[in-house]
């Protein structure tokens, strides 16, 4: 690394690498071309619009491509997937048709995201097969896919264990083991599963561990099966200009109502509200819904389908507020978040940074509001001290409604029963709505095709009509069952 460490970056551990996170000049060292990658890969990166490396990629890739074991820590959305994907692809021998890389992820949706990114990055070479193996679906199709073979497997620890026990997954040819979102896997109690899987991998291999935070368990994992890992840590202070933080003092009985005051005053299109407990999440959702807001809770008790639905609705602009605990929200890649609300103050400064880092991404500015009771002032002081800033306090009384209209999301979601299994594609649905049913493209938002369902975001006002027309009409020449998602 030739970049200078700045106060915004901090490296830990003896083998640490420092990397700047605030570099304004695009140094040559940030170019993918500075890496030992084949020209086809560099071309593909350009085609994907990856002009320069993100700071974690610039710090991790030279080490990973040199074959080192790595512990890399950087916040969500910093481009960690490509950092390990390019390394495992570099280790891959395409002509050898056997599983050479295994990526462990905490949840199915994260595994799906990783699979997609690996596939995009693998496009430079023909015929690289990536297979996702997660729980919650039947074994049979997975067994069939495994029989056809794969170069790269992405999956959740439990299901990977199942396949190893059955003997359906063979790791003899493996050369790269990746633990993605290791902190979250630890939170979910996967420590033993991960070590069991690691033990079944060949000793001669590269192990890459990626994480957004650095809890104690990580050191234990590393000690159990990594070889002299290099450590790359990017502790970022978010650019002050991008995230505007405001603190409000509340009494305990004002706290939940203060959230709706914030919403009515600032009117953010999408807000992620963090609570310290599941119970608080539930109470907040009840209060918000009672006041007519469209709010959903993201918690561990949701089954996969419910979780998918909540996330789809939030991502496509038909849910104003997503309420979550830190664990439930870990690893979500949500773009365009206008506001984060700390309904409770977290006892941990790193978690605070991580929470507010969800807003003000890319070019957008974001708000981060924190509600603190007298009892939480010590925590706020600790956060100020550790993050080296002075909290800007405001009064609840300033939070007057700025519009007579209710704050509603711009879109509503229609669910079509039928998805990838029925070979429905986004273009089919868009075509039906615009060509056959007369809607303008601008009235239709994101279309997400899942395995069994398709979710279509429609401009809120047009949604009832779109529901009627879709129910009466046809998609790909077939009638479909459609419903508006409860909101
Ligand atoms: P993380 O795993 O750190 O949360 P991801 O790997 O999901 O982050 O990346 C976040 C987003 O950034 C993805 O949409 C990815 O395609 C994009 N991305 C990653 N690397 C680059 C890059 N070098 N240039 C532009 N976009 C990138
Ligand atoms: Mg990730």
């Amino acid at each position: 690394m030739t970049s200078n460490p700045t106060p915004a970056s901090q490296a830990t551990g003896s083998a640490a690498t420092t990397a700047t996170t605030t570099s304004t000049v695009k140094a040559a060292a940030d170019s993918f071309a500075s890496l030992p990658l084949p020209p086809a890969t560099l071309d593909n990166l350009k085609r994907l619009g990856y002009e320069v490396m993100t700071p974690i990629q610039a710090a991790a890739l030279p080490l990973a491509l040199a074959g080192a074991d790595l512990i890399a820590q950087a916040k969500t959305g910093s481009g960690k997937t490509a950092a390990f994907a390019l390394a495992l692809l570099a280790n891959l021998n395409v002509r050898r048709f056997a599983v050479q890389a295994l990526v462990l992820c905490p949840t199915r949706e994260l595994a799906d995201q990783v699979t997609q990114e690996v596939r995009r990055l693998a496009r430079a070479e023909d015929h690289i097969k990536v297979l996702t193996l997660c729980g919650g679906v039947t074994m049979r199709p997975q067994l069939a896919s495994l029989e056809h073979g794969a170069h790269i497997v992405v999956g959740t620890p439990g299901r990977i264990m199942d396949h190893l026990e059955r003997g359906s997954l063979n790791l003899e040819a493996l050369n790269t083991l990746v633990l993605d979102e290791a902190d979250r896997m630890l939170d979910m109690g996967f420590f033993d599963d991960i070590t069991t899987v690691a033990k079944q991998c060949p000793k001669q291999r590269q192990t890459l561990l990626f994480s957004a935070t650095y809890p104690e368990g990580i050191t234990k994992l590393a000690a159990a099966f990594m070889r002299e890992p290099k450590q790359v840590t990017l502790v970022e202070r978010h650019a002050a200009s991008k995230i505007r933080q405001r603190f409000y003092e509340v009494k305990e009985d004002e706290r939940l109502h203060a959230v709706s005051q914030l919403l009515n005053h600032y009117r953010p299109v999408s807000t992620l509200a963090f609570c310290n407990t599941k119970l608080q999440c539930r109470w907040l959702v009840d209060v918000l819904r009672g006041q007519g807001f469209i709010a959903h809770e993201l918690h561990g008790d949701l089954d996969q389908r419910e979780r998918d639905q909540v996330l789809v609705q939030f991502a496509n602009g038909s849910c104003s507020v997503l309420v979550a605990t830190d664990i439930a929200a870990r690893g979500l890649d949500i773009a365009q978040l206008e506001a984060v609300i700390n309904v409770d103050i977290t006892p941990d400064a790193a978690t605070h940074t991580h929470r507010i880092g969800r807003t003000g991404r890319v070019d957008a500015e974001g708000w981060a509001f924190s509600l603190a009771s007298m009892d939480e002032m010590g925590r706020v002081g600790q956060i100020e001290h550790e993050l080296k800033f002075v909290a800007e306090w405001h009064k609840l009384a300033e939070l007057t409604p700025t519009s007579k209209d209710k704050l509603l999301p711009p879109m509503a979601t229609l669910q079509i029963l039928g998805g990838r299994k029925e070979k429905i594609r986004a273009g089919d649905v868009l075509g039906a709505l615009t060509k056959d049913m007369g809607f303008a493209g601008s009235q239709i938002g994101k279309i997400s095709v899942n395995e069994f369902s398709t979710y279509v975001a429609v401009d809120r006002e047009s949604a009832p009509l779109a529901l009627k027309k879709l129910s009466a009409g046809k998609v790909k020449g077939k009638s479909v069952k459609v419903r508006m998602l409860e909101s």
Side-chain angles (χ1 to χ4, degrees):
M1 287 297 303
T2 53
S3 46
N4 294 320
T6 70
S9 70
Q10 176 190 324
T12 53
S14 53
T17 296
T18 52
T20 166
T21 60
T22 52
S23 152
T24 44
V25 196
K26 282 178 185 167
D30 286 348
S31 161
F32 283 101
S34 67
L35 300 171
L37 291 172
T41 303
L42 293 173
D43 282 349
N44 184 43
L45 285 165
K46 250 191 222 120
R47 239 173 296 142
L48 293 174
Y50 288 18
E51 303 280 339
V52 290
M53 292 189 267
T54 65
I56 189 67
Q57 289 164 358
L61 275 167
L63 296 166
L65 291 172
D69 276 12
L70 209 62
I71 300 177
Q73 184 201 346
K75 67 167 185 147
T76 303
S78 54
K80 294 191 288 296
T81 319
F84 62 73
L86 289 171
L88 70 83
L89 288 169
N91 290 343
L92 200 74
N93 176 355
V94 187
R95 276 176 308 245
R96 180 158 191 204
F97 202 37
V99 177
Q100 295 166 59
L102 171 64
V103 183
L104 294 178
C105 299
T107 64
R108 195 196 69 185
E109 82 224 2
L110 288 166
D112 284 339
Q113 281 176 22
V114 167
T115 301
Q116 279 171 21
E117 177 86 347
V118 172
R119 286 203 178 117
R120 273 153 32 100
L121 292 167
R123 248 190 254 151
E125 279 222 53
D126 282 343
H127 313 306
I128 295 182
K129 256 201 91 185
V130 191
L131 182 62
T132 321
L133 298 176
C134 298
V137 294
T138 49
M139 273 289 200
R140 194 191 296 267
Q142 293 186 352
L143 295 171
S145 303
L146 276 166
E147 268 175 22
H148 284 109
H151 295 101
I152 302 164
V153 167
V154 181
T156 46
R159 183 53 65 100
I160 297 292
M161 291 257 293
D162 289 349
H163 281 291
L164 288 172
E165 274 162 23
R166 278 169 175 253
S168 42
L169 175 63
N170 182 334
L171 297 179
E172 274 166 25
L174 182 129
N175 56 36
T176 318
L177 172 65
V178 180
L179 311 181
D180 190 24
E181 308 265 356
D183 49 357
R184 178 136 189 248
M185 290 201 281
L186 291 173
D187 281 341
M188 294 169 76
F190 284 139
F191 187 96
D192 291 339
D193 288 3
I194 295 170
T195 38
T196 310
V197 173
K199 275 198 198 110
Q200 302 208 27
C201 298
K203 282 224 165 56
Q204 203 54 37
R205 62 154 200 272
Q206 185 176 18
T207 307
L208 305 169
L209 183 157
F210 283 75
S211 193
T213 60
Y214 199 97
E216 255 171 65
I218 302 268
T219 323
K220 273 172 63 191
L221 269 183
F225 56 78
M226 292 179 79
R227 291 184 313 172
E228 299 170 34
K230 300 257 191 288
Q231 199 163 320
V232 181
T233 306
L234 280 170
V235 180
E236 297 184 40
R237 249 192 305 150
H238 301 283
S241 58
K242 275 176 70 184
I243 301 176
R244 293 165 292 181
Q245 279 207 72
R246 293 190 166 174
F247 286 73
Y248 293 83
E249 186 183 330
V250 293
K251 297 198 191 71
E252 219 41 77
D253 60 356
E254 294 170 330
R255 195 188 291 273
L256 300 182
H257 185 64
V259 176
S260 50
Q261 285 177 272
L262 284 167
L263 295 171
N264 283 326
H265 183 76
Y266 292 98
R267 299 182 69 80
V269 173
S270 58
T271 301
L272 185 54
F274 284 104
C275 300
N276 289 353
T277 64
K278 276 200 239 177
L279 197 58
Q280 181 82 309
C281 288
R282 194 146 316 151
W283 285 334
L284 179 60
V285 167
D286 285 347
V287 167
L288 292 178
R289 288 195 170 166
Q291 299 183 0
F293 291 102
I294 304 215
H296 285 285
E297 185 187 350
L298 192 66
H299 57 76
D301 304 338
L302 296 180
D303 66 32
Q304 195 65 50
R305 191 183 49 85
E306 295 168 322
R307 199 177 151 89
D308 284 348
Q309 276 187 10
V310 168
L311 291 174
V312 161
Q313 289 178 83
F314 191 62
N316 73 15
S318 40
C319 161
S320 301
V321 191
L322 187 64
V323 180
T325 57
D326 296 292
I327 292 179
R330 193 86 54 81
L332 295 180
D333 182 19
I334 302 172
Q336 288 191 323
L337 206 51
E338 266 182 68
V340 165
I341 301 179
N342 294 305
V343 181
D344 307 300
I345 304 294
T346 162
D348 170 34
T351 303
H352 183 82
T353 310
H354 198 236
R355 284 177 172 185
I356 67 170
R358 300 311 192 93
T359 186
R361 286 208 192 159
V362 207
D363 312 320
E365 287 205 327
W367 286 107
F369 305 114
S370 300
L371 304 174
S373 65
M374 278 313 280
D375 290 346
E376 290 170 324
M377 290 303 163
R379 292 180 179 182
V380 175
Q382 189 65 31
I383 289 170
E384 286 180 296
H385 177 73
E386 281 186 39
L387 304 180
K388 300 190 176 50
F389 78 106
V390 179
E392 182 187 317
W393 289 94
H394 286 260
K395 297 227 173 325
L396 275 188
E398 291 169 19
L399 297 177
T400 48
T402 47
S403 163
K404 279 195 287 295
D405 297 331
K406 260 201 313 197
L407 175 69
L408 285 174
M411 312 299 274
T413 301
L414 303 183
Q415 178 188 20
I416 299 174
L417 302 182
R420 273 200 304 273
K421 273 260 147 40
E422 285 72 28
K423 306 224 181 324
I424 291 187
R425 285 171 312 169
D428 303 329
V429 180
L430 186 64
L433 282 163
T434 52
K435 292 205 192 78
D436 312 345
M437 297 166 197
F439 289 95
S442 58
Q443 291 170 291
I444 314 299
K446 210 166 161 174
I447 300 176
S448 329
V449 186
N450 289 16
E451 199 169 2
F452 301 109
S453 287
T454 301
Y455 300 96
V456 195
V458 182
D459 172 77
R460 180 158 288 273
E461 254 130 57
S462 326
L465 186 61
L467 173 64
K468 228 162 125 188
K469 290 200 171 175
L470 267 179
S471 306
K474 289 187 167 155
V475 175
K476 262 193 137 176
K478 283 203 193 116
S479 338
V480 284
K481 277 219 169 69
V482 191
R483 64 181 192 119
M484 180 119 51
L485 283 190
E486 158 272 336
S487 49

